[in-house]
Amino acid sequence: MNRISFVDGWTAGPKLGAFESRDAATAAVPVAVPHDALRDLPRSADEGVHSGYIPGGVFEYSKTFDVPLQWRDKSVRVEFEGVYRDASVYINGDFAVHEANGYAAFVVDADPFLRFGEPNTITVEARVHKDSRWYTGGGIYRPVHLIVADPVHIALDGTVVTSTDIDDERAIVEIATRIENKTRHTATRRLNWVVVDEDGAESASGTSPVTVLPGGSSVARVRLPLWNPRLWGPDAPHLYRVQSVLTELDGGAESDADETRFGIRRLQLDTKHGLRINGVTLDLRGACIHHDNGPLGAVSVADAEERRVRLLKAAGFNAIRSAHNPASRALLDACDLHGVIVMDELTDVWTKSKTSFDASIGFDERWQRDIAALVAKDINHPSVVLYSIGNEILELATPHGATWSRRLAEEFRALDPTRFITNGINGIIANLDRIGEAMADAEASDPNTMMANMGEKMALANASSLVTDSTEESAAVLDVVGFNYADSRYALDAELFPNRVIVGSETFPDRIASLWADVRRFPHVIGDFTWTGWDYIGEAGIGRVDYTDGEDYEPTGTAGPYPYLLGACGDIDITGHRLPASYYREIAYGLRTDPAIAVHRPQHHGRPTIKTPWSWDDVVSSWTWGVPAGSPVIVDVYADADEVELCLDGTVLARCAIGTQLPLIARFETEYHPGALTAVTYTDGAEVSRTSLHTAGRPALVARAECGEIASNGVLGYVVITIQDAGGTVLCDSDRLVTVEVSGGELAGIGSGRVRTEESFAGHSCTTYDGRLLAIVRRTGPGEIRLTASATGFDPAVAVITAL
């Protein structure tokens, strides 16, 4: 059984009623699947902050494909990894299947609808209701596959590999493969398994006959010893493959085959050692992430998911939480490859709604299918260590909510007893009717003060006896209790619930120094997941910094007014560029000894600001500013040392202690003068390390391909466009409109880290932000892809990528 790519030849357009006719504005156009139908729609202040002011809608996809006569004796299925949302699939105009969950993979049995020996048409309708508290995208946003197999075949996702009996000498690998029989007769076949390591060498093999009754299925099993196994872990993510081959009983003709990738690792969990993988304690340096891919919109493409995971790990993260929906297969593949731990989350709601048309509608009927789809997707991925049954569930603190907690947790355990169960509990959200009134009163009295103190108020409320008592039962059903913004419970729960293992499932970014100290101090706290590791579309402006002395300033709480587009709270922006907060976090983790310099924008010096609990300071790692020499400026130095010395062109400006005002930060009031700004750190009077920022020289427009090739099985290439001098120093406040032309391929998306913008990801022009933007190209075939970037006042810049 092979999944054949079924992503080419699709068209998409708005869905029209039966008595409506199309015009030029509603005409269906060719699209590349995976595709986000919402990304390019016109934005409006009327559409709401959650979606980034991008509207929803109903969209229709269509594809015509040939069905040869010989398929009459085959089993033909179409597999969708995800359609957002409420997908209805028709084949040749006849209804085939409906799937409400926008994140669950589903399969269409095409056999009853096909017309053999002629072209057939498959149509997909997707309905996006603005149904979430973030930008979901819409349409066929994950890959599609065509499966043509013999009637007796290996089931989709039919091979499950587990290994719990592991020691230094060997690992016992248990393989279970499900065989389906679509014929009217009993079938007996032989199933052969071969386990292959990363080098292609055979590690083990086995065989078994299997009999399957008409219209039924059977599971064939084998236990294989792997001698001297190579284990999967964060530092050495070794992967194996099991090749499953179905043949005639006598070992004759092959009728089906499948390949499954897996890893061998040993998981342990307790309050003394925390989480151990292969016997080694691992503190989770976690990043919450949403599922969109920035300028591409909410699409899952393997190249994009791999790049994101790779850059997150390079920034110091070793774990991700898929907030607040099941991760894509491509994301899990990337985490397997790079040794990143995954907390895969089921949903944001159960039976009580948070938005008008959210997934609570029908959850009571759908929950078992949703869990089954998630587990089937995850079960062979060694990166998946935690299943999260929900996020900030409204009914969790009630007896009926506790019943749902238990029901969901036990369903996960029944389907996969090898992993741990958690839940992102926010005791305030679960007790809104009792806690929310007091917090709302405080916000009404002084919105700015409320925003500044929100984190402290949330911590106090989450540590209350009300939260302790009301969430105890729901927490008791979990292996790991996830707390959102409740680090105030870490020490408390060590006393109240001595057997409780905790993870910070969602935390404020500027508290990482104290949060990480808690993770290291408390063995029952296994990690911290910041909101967020990577910026995202929607929840617009939740992490922005407002200057409050402007005439147009109006307090808006956590909602950024139009045209805010991005959340503005990621360590890494949507282009993959690391922001100063990322380097601070790396220092807090103990992974970086060099100091990092963050400069408050001098053009705003002295202006009052207001931040949300998810904000970072409005700072840039730059010493190139278009302000007069001598202008006042604040410089922060992030470091884990006793003192830091700030120098300009070798002259000492000041020396001060680190951590006096804020943990791991020394703050300097100084003046801007062009030159080389250097921070030198000292501990016990001895120099530890130093780093410098330089004023840029003559600027040029530069286009640099991150990789010069797109692999034969790849799709995307990434080009970073900067305004920089000959030494690579980027000018951060000389932004220009850049126009991009592509030959030999096509432009898939373009964007910058600017959180407040009306520019489209779909255009051929974009304004740099702090001197940077990203262009993403898509291959249309093998050969050279040439991108040319142009901006007024600069010579054009060219980047070349070869598609193999």
Side-chain angles (χ1 to χ4, degrees):
M1 181 273 298
N2 290 317
R3 289 179 165 99
I4 303 167
S5 178
F6 203 56
V7 300
D8 296 326
W10 290 88
T11 62
K15 166 64 178 175
L16 301 182
F19 301 104
E20 297 177 278
S21 57
R22 291 194 179 275
D23 55 24
T26 61
V29 297
V31 297
V33 169
H35 174 256
D36 181 357
L38 267 61
R39 185 196 68 166
D40 305 340
L41 298 179
R43 298 169 64 215
S44 165
D46 298 328
E47 297 299 339
V49 65
H50 295 318
S51 66
Y53 302 101
I54 297 173
V58 182
F59 306 93
E60 183 176 273
Y61 290 76
S62 183
K63 174 182 171 68
T64 298
F65 62 106
D66 289 328
V67 177
L69 285 172
Q70 52 266 40
W71 285 10
R72 190 186 299 274
D73 298 322
K74 301 288 186 179
S75 168
V76 182
R77 291 159 290 171
V78 181
E79 180 189 38
F80 294 86
E81 291 190 24
V83 178
Y84 205 89
R85 176 176 174 250
D86 269 321
S88 296
V89 181
Y90 301 83
I91 298 178
N92 297 320
D94 294 319
F95 173 78
V97 74
H98 172 254
E99 175 54 59
N101 189 330
Y103 301 103
F106 63 97
V107 177
V108 181
D109 183 357
D111 294 337
F113 308 99
L114 294 178
R115 300 168 184 168
F116 299 96
E118 60 181 277
N120 286 241
T121 298
I122 184 169
T123 304
V124 180
E125 295 178 5
R127 303 163 183 86
V128 186
H129 312 291
K130 293 194 297 181
D131 49 22
S132 298
R133 299 178 302 110
W134 59 89
Y135 175 75
T136 62
I140 306 177
Y141 73 108
R142 289 181 178 175
V144 188
H145 312 278
L146 179 68
I147 299 98
V148 181
D150 283 352
V152 182
H153 53 255
I154 298 171
L156 281 174
D157 297 319
T159 296
V160 176
V161 186
T162 56
S163 185
T164 56
D165 183 358
I166 306 166
D167 57 33
D168 293 337
E169 182 184 18
R170 91 289 182 268
I172 301 300
V173 175
E174 300 182 34
I175 306 173
T177 300
R178 182 174 295 278
I179 308 302
E180 296 176 337
N181 181 2
K182 300 295 186 181
T183 73
R184 295 183 293 110
H185 306 284
T186 298
T188 301
R189 299 287 188 270
R190 177 167 294 278
L191 192 57
N192 302 283
W193 299 275
V194 177
V195 177
V196 179
D197 69 14
E198 285 184 337
D199 302 322
E202 181 177 321
S203 299
S205 63
T207 185
S208 173
V210 55
T211 298
V212 194
L213 297 178
S217 67
S218 295
V219 175
R221 296 181 181 272
V222 68
R223 296 177 79 251
L224 301 176
L226 265 64
W227 302 103
N228 302 312
R230 300 167 68 181
L231 303 185
W232 184 96
D235 298 323
H238 185 80
L239 293 167
Y240 288 89
R241 291 172 291 133
V242 57
Q243 298 166 345
S244 306
V245 179
L246 191 67
T247 68
E248 297 298 326
L249 183 60
D250 60 2
E254 177 182 311
S255 59
D256 202 4
D258 194 15
E259 184 173 275
T260 305
R261 192 165 64 171
F262 69 97
I264 301 170
R265 80 290 189 261
R266 184 170 63 253
L267 301 180
Q268 295 169 281
L269 183 72
D270 58 61
T271 57
K272 181 178 179 179
H273 302 286
L275 173 66
R276 285 182 287 176
I277 297 182
N278 303 325
V280 178
T281 296
L282 180 70
D283 292 328
L284 299 179
R285 305 188 299 269
C288 297
I289 59 172
H290 273 316
H291 70 278
D292 70 85
N293 269 297
L296 294 173
V299 298
S300 180
V301 179
D303 297 330
E305 304 287 38
E306 187 279 330
R307 176 179 182 264
R308 178 161 52 159
V309 170
R310 172 167 39 87
L311 294 179
L312 283 165
K313 187 166 187 181
F317 294 108
N318 65 8
I320 65 164
R321 174 192 181 208
S322 64
H324 305 291
N325 47 260
S328 69
R329 287 178 181 164
L331 184 69
L332 298 184
D333 287 341
C335 290
D336 289 346
L337 178 66
H338 291 288
V340 173
I341 304 302
V342 177
M343 178 193 296
D344 204 2
E345 196 151 87
L346 176 67
T347 183
D348 188 48
V349 293
W350 293 346
T351 60
K352 286 191 175 182
S353 65
K354 295 178 181 177
T355 59
S356 298
F357 298 100
D358 65 21
S360 64
I361 302 170
F363 180 81
D364 61 321
E365 299 176 351
R366 194 184 61 241
W367 64 276
Q368 287 177 299
R369 297 195 305 275
D370 291 352
I371 292 174
L374 191 156
V375 171
K377 169 178 63 68
D378 288 17
I379 198 163
N380 291 314
H381 288 280
S383 58
V384 180
V385 171
L386 292 152
Y387 290 129
S388 172
I389 62 176
N391 170 68
E392 297 185 337
I393 300 301
L394 292 172
E395 62 267 42
L396 180 139
T398 69
H400 282 285
T403 299
W404 272 106
S405 298
R406 195 176 305 279
R407 184 180 293 147
L408 297 169
E410 292 308 312
E411 185 71 11
F412 269 107
R413 291 186 178 108
L415 295 175
D416 181 5
T418 70
R419 291 175 169 88
F420 304 120
I421 310 300
T422 188
N423 190 357
I425 297 175
N426 187 325
I428 300 170
I429 299 295
N431 288 281
L432 274 178
D433 55 340
R434 287 170 281 187
I435 290 179
E437 184 176 343
M439 298 187 75
D441 288 345
E443 184 172 5
S445 63
D446 187 347
N448 287 348
T449 300
M450 177 57 188
M451 290 303 299
N453 297 331
M454 180 184 288
E456 180 181 349
K457 290 180 181 294
M458 290 176 71
L460 289 172
N462 269 317
S464 67
S465 59
L466 170 63
V467 170
T468 299
D469 296 339
S470 65
T471 62
E472 181 181 4
E473 185 179 358
S474 285
V477 309
L478 307 172
D479 302 307
V480 180
V481 180
F483 279 132
N484 289 10
Y485 311 110
D487 50 295
S488 54
R489 298 208 61 92
Y490 295 175
L492 178 65
D493 282 8
E495 299 292 330
L496 295 176
F497 306 102
N499 297 317
R500 179 177 284 184
V501 178
I502 292 172
V503 66
S505 43
E506 191 169 314
T507 62
F508 294 123
D510 66 352
R511 290 181 46 79
I512 185 57
S514 63
L515 291 166
W516 196 247
D518 284 346
V519 172
R520 303 306 298 268
R521 181 160 57 104
F522 296 120
H524 69 290
V525 180
I526 66 171
D528 176 273
F529 286 78
T530 189
W531 194 267
T532 59
W534 192 285
D535 207 10
Y536 55 93
I537 306 171
E539 279 191 315
I542 192 175
R544 72 195 185 283
V545 176
D546 282 338
Y547 292 93
T548 61
D549 57 348
E551 293 182 359
D552 60 346
Y553 172 71
E554 293 184 10
T556 56
T558 58
Y562 181 84
Y564 272 98
L565 173 63
L566 309 179
C569 56
D571 277 22
I572 302 174
D573 74 15
I574 63 165
T575 72
H577 175 62
R578 291 182 67 182
L579 302 175
S582 174
Y583 295 100
Y584 181 90
R585 183 178 307 278
E586 191 179 18
I587 292 166
Y589 284 153
L591 301 176
R592 179 185 177 91
T593 56
D594 290 346
I597 303 174
V599 181
H600 294 247
R601 300 180 190 270
Q603 62 267 39
H604 297 310
H605 186 271
R607 298 183 65 190
T609 62
I610 188 68
K611 301 191 298 181
T612 80
W614 295 274
S615 303
W616 199 258
D617 288 322
D618 187 15
V619 291
V620 187
S621 294
S622 176
W623 198 240
T624 303
W625 299 99
V627 297
S631 296
V633 63
I634 296 175
V635 176
D636 287 345
V637 178
Y638 308 152
D640 186 8
D642 293 341
E643 296 179 300
V644 62
E645 195 173 69
L646 193 66
C647 309
L648 183 64
D649 292 335
T651 300
V652 176
L653 300 177
R655 182 167 175 162
C656 70
I658 296 171
T660 302
Q661 295 175 297
L662 296 167
L664 305 179
I665 298 178
R667 178 160 290 177
F668 298 87
E669 286 272 2
T670 186
E671 295 178 349
Y672 173 71
H673 293 277
L677 186 72
T678 302
V680 186
T681 57
Y682 297 87
T683 295
D684 296 330
E687 181 178 331
V688 177
S689 189
R690 61 175 61 205
T691 193
S692 298
L693 298 176
H694 299 269
T695 303
R698 184 175 179 179
L701 188 66
V702 175
R704 176 185 59 85
E706 288 185 346
C707 180
E709 294 179 344
I710 300 175
S712 58
N713 62 343
V715 177
L716 302 176
Y718 288 80
V719 179
V720 178
I721 299 171
T722 54
I723 300 171
Q724 65 179 58
D725 68 7
T729 299
V730 176
L731 282 75
C732 73
D733 65 348
S734 298
D735 289 317
R736 304 291 180 88
L737 180 68
V738 177
T739 300
V740 167
E741 296 180 358
V742 176
S743 62
E746 60 186 22
L747 187 63
I750 186 171
S752 75
R754 192 182 305 277
V755 301
R756 184 171 181 166
T757 180
E758 294 187 281
E759 293 181 317
S760 170
F761 295 131
H764 279 258
S765 296
C766 181
T767 304
T768 60
Y769 182 63
D770 289 337
R772 294 178 171 84
L773 62 82
L774 180 73
I776 307 169
V777 298
R778 179 186 292 111
R779 69 181 299 154
T780 53
E784 181 180 277
I785 303 173
R786 179 177 293 266
L787 181 145
T788 303
S790 303
T792 302
F794 295 109
D795 292 335
V798 176
V800 176
I801 298 175
T802 301
L804 301 179

